[in-house]
Every structure is written in C-alpha cells, then in structure tokens.
Amino acid sequence: EPRSPPHGLMMEAFNNWIQRNLDLNNDGVVDAQDALLAIDAAEKLYGIAYEESHKFTPHFRAAVGLGCLFYSRSFPYTIMFVRAFQDTGTPMVKQAAKKLSVQYVKAREQFLTQRMPTHEAQQTVAEYSNTMKRLKSIHKAAKEMDDPREIDKVQHDIDGCHAQYKIAIASLSSIQAVLQSVK
C-alpha cells in the first residue's frame, strides 16, 4: 500500500508548483506584475473565445437541451423558466455585464496609470511611518510658531505623503487597486 509523503514534502511540492506556474515573468517572485500578466492572458483568451463562440452556439444549445432532457424531472417547467428568463432576465444581465465591463476597463486604466513599480512601492510603504512622524513634528512646530504659510505647506506635504502611501499599497495589491478604482 503506497504511503503519502510527509506534510513538509507536500507543502514544498505545492510551493514549487506555485512558483513554476504563477511566476509568469520568471523573476523568481510571484508579485503584482505576474498578476497583470495573468489578467492580460485571461483577456486574450476571453477575446479569442468570444470571437469563436458564435461557431459553437448551436452545439452549446443542443448540449444544454440534452442535459435538461436527461437530468430534469420537470422538463416543461425548465422550458417555461428558460423562456421567462430570456424575456425578462436576459436584458438585465446583458446591461449589467456591459456596466461591469466598462467599470473594469476604467479601473484597469486607472490602475495602470497610477501604479508604482514594486520596489518603489515597497520603499514608500517602509518609509511611510517615519516620514509621517517627521512631518507631524514639523506641523506641530509650525503651529506653535503660529506660521500659517508653513502650516499649509506641511499639511500639503502630509496629504501628498498619504496619497503616495495609498497608491503604493494599491500597487502592491492589484485586487485592492481594482476595487479601490471602481469605488
């Protein structure tokens, strides 16, 4: 009787599989760039499938029909449901799909224009706490000296630092960036 390998070996094999299959740019790290490459590949495959799908529509309908015949105990109700959905649900689903597509394109464009290179984003996140402490102490000193121009300048720097931090965080997490852009 074959025995399963120890847990550690299984995890190592799993990690190696992830590294081989998800590191699309072969830089040794699975990161946001690999996610972008995966999304690009998925978009290309979707485009090809969409262009070719009209050839297979009759086959698809036939397969669904056969499935309904063999696996549905209430075939007349299934037909009634499909017809009702075609008349009432399909227009709403198409409209929602169009909206989702437009939002996705906008979010992707915004992400691609705002994202930072990974090393720059990591550096921004690492330095954020110290930079904010320094700026807040300067802001406090400007308040004590009652210098409105310096207070405004430092507040502008604080806002800019925080904005850069948010962009860096979004760049390090492509999913978070897409969700943030869709808001």
Side-chain angles (χ1 to χ4, degrees):
E1 172 180 317
R3 300 182 72 171
S4 63
H7 178 71
L9 291 176
M10 288 176 28
M11 288 305 295
E12 184 178 333
F14 181 68
N15 287 336
N16 289 338
W17 180 87
I18 287 175
Q19 190 67 32
R20 277 193 320 271
N21 292 301
L22 299 181
D23 184 17
L24 300 177
N25 59 1
N26 295 322
D27 63 353
V29 179
V30 178
D31 56 8
Q33 291 173 341
D34 295 312
L36 285 174
L37 291 172
I39 290 171
D40 288 340
E43 284 179 345
K44 287 178 187 175
L45 286 174
Y46 174 78
I48 292 169
Y50 184 77
E51 289 172 5
E52 300 294 322
S53 66
H54 69 281
K55 296 177 185 176
F56 302 104
T57 301
H59 304 312
F60 177 71
R61 287 184 180 164
V64 170
L66 281 174
C68 289
L69 277 173
F70 293 121
Y71 294 106
S72 174
R73 293 183 179 162
S74 306
F75 187 64
Y77 293 118
T78 304
I79 293 172
M80 198 167 56
F81 168 77
V82 168
R83 288 301 305 156
F85 185 78
Q86 283 177 340
D87 294 340
T88 59
T90 304
M92 290 188 310
V93 169
K94 284 183 179 180
Q95 186 179 19
K98 281 183 184 179
K99 284 181 182 178
L100 182 63
S101 175
V102 168
Q103 286 182 336
Y104 171 76
V105 169
K106 286 180 183 177
R108 183 168 170 82
E109 287 172 358
Q110 184 176 0
F111 172 70
L112 290 175
T113 59
Q114 287 186 350
R115 75 180 176 101
M116 291 181 185
T118 305
H119 68 282
E120 186 180 330
Q122 289 170 336
Q123 185 177 359
T124 300
V125 169
E127 295 173 354
Y128 175 74
S129 179
N130 291 333
T131 304
M132 287 302 283
K133 285 178 186 176
R134 182 179 54 79
L135 288 172
K136 285 181 179 181
S137 68
I138 294 171
H139 190 267
K140 183 179 177 184
K143 277 186 170 182
E144 288 173 359
M145 293 183 353
D146 198 28
D147 185 355
R149 288 178 63 193
E150 184 65 19
I151 292 172
D152 289 344
K153 179 185 173 288
V154 174
Q155 185 61 49
H156 178 74
D157 291 346
I158 289 172
D159 293 343
C161 180
H162 189 65
Q164 285 296 101
Y165 175 75
K166 287 172 78 175
I167 291 171
I169 291 294
S171 296
L172 292 174
S173 170
S174 59
I175 294 173
Q176 180 180 354
V178 169
L179 291 175
Q180 187 178 29
S181 300
V182 171
K183 283 183 183 177

